[in-house]
Amino acid sequence: MSASTSPGAPWIGRPLRRAEDARFLDGSARYVGDLKRPGMLHGVVLRSDHAHARVRSIDARTALALPGVVAVYTFEDIRRLARPIPLRLGPCPGLERFLQLPLAEGKVRYVGEPLAFLVAEGRYVAEDALELVQVEYEALDPVVDVHAARADRSLLHEALGTNVGSHYTVEKGDVSAAFAGADYTRRETFRCHRQTAAPMETRGLLAEFDAAGRRLRLWGATKVPFYNRRWLAGALDLPEAGVELIEVDVGGSFGVRGELYPEDFLVPFAAMRLGRPVKWIEDRREHFVATNHSREIECELEIACTLDGEIIGLRGRLLADMGAYVRTNGGLVPAKAAQFLPGPYRIPNVGCEVFALLTNKTPVGTYRGPGFYESSFFRERLFDLATADLRLDPAEFRRRNLVTAGEMPYGIENLCPFDADAAYDSGDFVLAFERALAEFDYARVKTLNGTLQDGRLQGVGLGCFVESGGAGPAETARLKVAAGGRIELYTGCSTMGQGHETAMAQIGADSLGLPVEAFSVFHGSTTLVEQGYGTYNSRAMAMGGSAVKLAAENLIAQLLAHVARMHEIEPAALEYSRGAIVRREDHRTLATLAGIAAAAQAGDGQARAAIECSGTFNQTRRTYSYGTNIAHVAVDPETARVEVLRFLAVDDVGRAINPLLVHGQMLGAAVQGIGGTFLDELIYDEQGQLLTGSFADYLLPTATEFPNVEVISLEAVPSTLNPLGVRGAGEGGIIATGAALANAVAHALAPLGVKITELPLSPNKLAQKMREARAAAE
Amino acid sequence: MKPPAFDYAAPGSLDEALALLAAKRDGAKLLAGGQSFVPALNFRLARPELIIDLNRVPGLAGIRRDGDGGLLIGAMTRARAIERSEVVARSNPLLHSAIPWIAHVPIRNRGTIGGSLAHADPAAELPAIALACDAILVATGILGKRDIAARDFFLGVFTTALRAGEILTEIRFPAWPPNRRHGFAEFARRHGDFAIVGVAATIDVAADGAVGDARIVVFGAGDTPRRAREAEAALAGSHPDTGALQRAAALAANHVDPPSDHHASAEYRRELAGTLTRRVLEQALAPRARAA
């Protein structure tokens, strides 16, 4: 971690503690679960117990008769308004046919699919009533994996005649020719397991409708409130300006939270229908079946290279398990996995065939590093299988094939059906790689590979990645000079715990030459800025932070013009300096922010117009973060327990607005990824029932599991795509965790003849691999 | 995750608790530390008509020595109190060493020894320790007390020999002979999780180094914790070398009939039972393994 401050930028680069921590720590933070409105009702969702069934009837009479139960809505009640949850991102061809309605119509396609929404005076009675609703099912054959899905024997969406949601092929170069002429090729099939983000706070919504004013307020929004407002206004037949989405404090998202889900329609629908506020808080059991899953992809991948290790081609076939419907993130996960199969390497010929397949499981969406975590594992694992065959050093092989700084900008062409041609604008992949090797003393540590130390097998593994972030197209910030010259900063970004209130103030402070204490940061309502986008794809600093900088520049220009008009001189004769407007020639202060704010407050219309200004940063090109992870593990060959002796993640964030926040993001992402590689796993049985539906079975790392994690965030090469020079910093730490750890475990177990091609690296599976290897050796 | 409606009583005496229990029989459930029961209640897996909260019943918690050098622990004694007890550390080093394996400190602050034994989770530590130590579990009913030997107490998954109307009130651990050594190990996915498999052992070693009485209890590998009697017999009377420990471990592994689930296959559990048995025996017989 490096703190780079410069005279012109005293606040950016400082590891300031988060302004928001006080309220998180003293319990005064307010989450949607804390909110109460007069007359508030509680909603609960009746969810399918079946993975795949026709719904013959839903009988809610007994439930409705229970005192305290107010309403039960089924599809018939929403039929007039019901429109499918939209596909916001990742429109792979064909996926638009498989969208989900807010309540099941005649058929359920996954365990947990909403069948009815029940509203009652309290949560307890609501849950009691839920048990009284009688659903008559006619069970159908469940489709629980991608191969069964492709076979199309049992169809989720009969009218469409197929479970293949999307099938497309992308290619750059001449892949067939490259493989036909190659000295060496190797093909393997890899599998990444189903996971979910499991934020500490589950989802929740509170809707209140003012019928007279036709005004809906919805608390609990985050991530993309402006998009959701637009869709909800349409779906609920309200003017967009009459819908306010409000973000209160949020306990984590990691991609899964804040998307439009069925409940985002059902809760306001019920509030409007009943004329009373309605709150719904997802419980943890619901969360596991209702909130997006991610990561489940099988990939057949083949490499072609020369005998001395120059990669000439990579081709893959990717089978992505989409769950039962296509949700807001569309085919983003498989499409990004395919697009970034080549990663940070110079590979002239790349091809991939992608199948997005519908199964009777919870639908998938984006989860921190979507597609990138998976494809990094596929590629990096294949590299180490190839280098073992060719007797090449894994580090030397990567060094040889990494795109160099001299090759930037490096075109990655068009490997994604819904993206334009893209290019890595800048970066020094080799520098980050060499830094990681040096920090880790890799050359020495790798000599331990496969050796037995105190009864445990040692292994060291590498994983390199590149990741796109900072998605556009735009973000807006608004600044307002308030009493005393304080600055109110309004952003269209959401915040789910990242510390944006602090970081945005740091950018504002440097842009206006003021201390961070002068800033009050506001986010979390669709009323704050005219058009915002939100927070996803590691974009808050690249897009939202840049908007703050532009807003400040606009504000300064506006203030200069105002003072010039007042004093009847040219704006060019004035300059702005630390909260004051001074005359260039004698540095005499003509006005201060506090003075102009006071004039505005006193009724000066010109001053009022001058003190408020927006800035919108437009950028459709993505930033790219990159880096290298190295893992050193010890595997107990008798129990299959893996201990992570040391884990290092190095990445380049271009510029760290607040190194402390960046450090926390990197560390948290790394631990989340390490946990995801060893522990997190959503397991379904053959009937499509989720077996890991609580935290007793879905295992998250606790503070004691992985103590030896180090992260280094470089500010090596600023991004060329935004005025701050920042690259996304929220996801880089997770992306190559699976890759590096799988390689480390593979090197440890290589002497036993074990081959690692699947995640997670659970002890049960590793023990099975060792058992099979022993049997094969006998 | 809200429980269904239930009645709640917090009796102020054991007699009152027994009377309430006698009146309700199967419809009542006792609340001790609540660490397993309350989640089951919220998942609606448990649906009692009446919850009888034992937390205000005096006299059910406490640790003391009996006249024979044994240990008496009240059923409502928190796991954390046992963990921090000097008396336990001195008079039952196996119990002392096993307690930190139970979940996490906040859970041990609430969870009780009686609650864990009466709940009879096959992967829990305390039932295995009770079995290894030949503990006596004292059940109190309206008509009086009866002693149940640990070996007769655990009948199946979440099933014990307690009869309707009885409350487990006290656990007696027999005196710990000076020549007794012990070992304990378990394998869990994360620190604090229920064991996938665990093994507890005691070995009484004669002055000449020969094994006298040996107890090996495997848990998490069947419906209840079980003694690996063939393995115990193989060790008794011997001067075990590495090979003997390995043979005992293999016997223990063969002896279990573990379930398969998504965390661990039966084969894997069987392998772990063998590995952990060998390691626990090595611990017990290691030169400095005696003292706790």
Side-chain angles (χ1 to χ4, degrees), chain A residues 384-395:
Chain A
D384 275 16
L385 289 166
T387 52
D389 285 348
L390 297 170
R391 298 183 195 288
L392 298 171
D393 176 66

Side-chain angles (χ1 to χ4, degrees), chain A residues 47-119:
Chain A
R47 299 182 182 279
S48 171
D49 310 322
H50 282 255
H52 196 192
R54 246 178 271 292
V55 180
R56 291 224 176 276
S57 64
I58 302 175
D59 181 353
R61 283 171 296 182
T62 322
L64 278 165
L66 195 68
V69 175
V70 176
V72 179
Y73 300 115
T74 63
F75 181 76
E76 289 312 316
D77 298 288
I78 65 163
R79 180 182 287 281
R80 192 182 63 80
L81 289 174
R83 57 174 84 176
I85 304 292
L87 190 157
R88 180 171 63 85
L89 297 173
C92 296
L95 291 183
E96 69 288 347
R97 299 169 296 165
F98 296 89
L99 306 183
Q100 181 175 11
L101 289 163
L103 291 171
E105 183 191 8
K107 191 178 175 188
V108 286
R109 298 181 175 88
Y110 63 95
V111 170
E113 179 165 1
L115 275 164
F117 190 63
L118 187 152
V119 186

Side-chain angles (χ1 to χ4, degrees), chain B residues 7-161:
Chain B
D7 290 327
Y8 170 85
S13 72
L14 185 58
D15 285 346
E16 201 189 324
L18 288 167
L20 285 164
L21 191 57
K24 269 289 181 197
R25 293 271 158 175
D26 291 344
K29 187 88 185 151
L30 300 172
L31 173 65
Q35 299 303 294
S36 296
F37 173 54
V38 173
L41 195 65
N42 287 337
F43 272 112
R44 298 189 174 223
L45 298 171
R47 295 168 173 270
E49 287 170 51
L50 171 67
I51 292 177
I52 303 169
D53 184 347
L54 295 179
N55 285 277
R56 290 179 210 172
V57 175
L60 289 182
I63 300 168
R64 61 199 163 89
R65 304 286 292 255
D66 67 12
D68 305 325
L71 196 57
L72 294 170
I73 303 183
M76 285 297 287
T77 308
R78 313 284 165 186
R80 185 70 171 159
I82 299 171
E83 181 179 359
R84 301 175 74 142
S85 161
E86 293 283 328
V87 175
V88 172
R90 278 197 306 275
S91 50
N92 193 318
L94 174 62
L95 176 60
H96 177 75
S97 67
I99 295 267
W101 291 87
I102 301 172
H104 305 273
V105 170
I107 293 174
R108 296 201 290 277
N109 281 335
R110 291 299 303 166
T112 64
I113 182 170
S116 173
L117 294 171
H119 183 55
D121 190 307
E125 292 81 2
L126 287 169
I129 301 304
L131 187 60
C133 294
D134 268 342
I136 301 294
L137 288 75
V138 181
T140 304
I142 277 187
L143 300 177
K145 295 184 176 191
R146 73 184 173 108
D147 289 354
I148 309 171
R151 65 176 174 277
D152 301 323
F153 187 80
F154 304 103
L155 303 181
V157 178
F158 307 140
T159 310
T160 70

Side-chain angles (χ1 to χ4, degrees), chain A residues 4 15-16 58 63 94 109 185 233 251 274 299 303 421 431 479 525 581 584 620 659 703:
Chain A
S4 70
L16 294 187
I58 302 175
R109 298 181 175 88
T185 64
L274 296 169
C299 178
I303 187 172
D421 265 21
L431 178 143
L479 296 172
S525 167
I581 288 89
R584 274 187 201 280
T620 54

Side-chain angles (χ1 to χ4, degrees), chain A residues 471-492:
Chain A
E475 194 52 81
T476 298
R478 183 163 63 89
L479 296 172
K480 184 180 176 189
V481 186
R486 290 189 55 78
I487 306 293
E488 294 174 355
L489 188 163
Y490 300 88
T491 172

